[in-house]
Amino acid sequence: MAKQTAPDNNGQAGEPMRQYSPAQELINNTAYIVMILLGAVILIASYGGSAAGWISAIAYLAYGIVGSVWIMVFVCPYCRYFNTRSCPCGYGHIAARFRSKETVECFNEKFKKHIPVIVPLWFIPIVAGVVPLIRGFTLPLLVMLIIFAINAFIILPLVSTKHGCKECPQKETCPWMKYTVKPAG
């Protein structure tokens, strides 16, 4: 397979981009998948395994999936990785099935506008878990909340910034990198 290149700001071919296999994409999505699955388990546990817990867990799982599709539809078409195997999470080539390519100059604007749609995924399980934890302490729920927080707020951002974002042709202007990586010096 020929190595794809990232277009520069003028749409011309630029530096060669790394190609990701489906297995690598799955590995790169593992922290997000763990966050969503563990969040659902926390919701079930927070409601004591009741029907409300299961319903909220299913809704949270659906929100996690819909959130990913939302990003694919409303952010990915503006990315240089669009319709390539160079997107570390695989969204770039999946997004091409939903939308056509848009101008990369709008990526930052679209990223800032649409990322807030998925931000609640990081907080819903914590809020849902802390309330019953305050009412009646249980060690298993506390452990799940700690693991969730470590995964969602440490592992997932580290994997993104140190791996996927590190090789991104848009990293210099990306809003995510702007707030998560401090400039050297």
Side-chain angles (χ1 to χ4, degrees):
M1 174 159 76
K3 204 158 195 173
Q4 294 173 316
T5 58
D8 62 18
N9 290 334
N10 299 320
Q12 302 298 313
E15 295 294 317
M17 296 187 300
R18 176 177 174 179
Q19 303 293 294
Y20 292 90
S21 70
Q24 289 169 315
E25 292 168 351
L26 179 61
I27 291 166
N28 295 340
N29 281 297
T30 300
Y32 181 80
I33 293 166
V34 167
M35 182 183 84
I36 300 302
L37 293 175
L38 187 55
V41 172
I42 289 170
L43 289 168
I44 293 167
S46 295
Y47 286 97
S50 68
W54 282 94
I55 291 168
S56 64
I58 291 167
Y60 181 78
L61 288 169
Y63 179 24
I65 293 166
V66 169
S68 293
V69 173
W70 184 278
I71 297 305
M72 288 179 217
V73 170
F74 295 109
V75 178
C76 293
Y78 300 89
C79 179
R80 286 183 173 89
Y81 282 150
F82 184 78
N83 202 19
T84 72
R85 296 295 317 190
S86 295
C87 174
C89 63
Y91 288 12
H93 62 92
I94 297 170
R97 297 177 183 173
F98 303 117
R99 296 270 313 266
S100 58
K101 177 80 174 144
E102 299 289 343
T103 177
V104 297
E105 287 76 21
C106 294
F107 176 77
N108 293 350
E109 170 196 340
K110 299 300 181 179
F111 188 95
K112 287 178 188 175
K113 180 179 180 180
H114 294 286
I115 284 298
V117 171
I118 63 169
V119 169
L121 289 166
W122 275 254
F123 298 98
I124 291 169
I126 292 174
V127 172
V130 167
V131 173
L133 199 57
I134 292 170
R135 290 184 182 159
F137 178 81
T138 64
L139 187 59
L141 184 55
L142 176 63
V143 169
M144 284 190 288
L145 285 168
I146 291 170
I147 293 170
F148 179 88
I150 290 169
N151 180 67
F153 296 104
I154 298 172
I155 295 172
L156 198 151
L158 275 175
V159 168
S160 294
T161 57
K162 301 298 181 195
H163 177 61
C165 299
K166 180 181 173 186
E167 299 173 355
C168 179
Q170 296 181 174
K171 68 183 169 211
E172 301 302 323
T173 59
C174 178
W176 170 251
M177 291 296 284
K178 182 178 174 182
Y179 296 109
T180 57
V181 178
K182 296 185 179 19

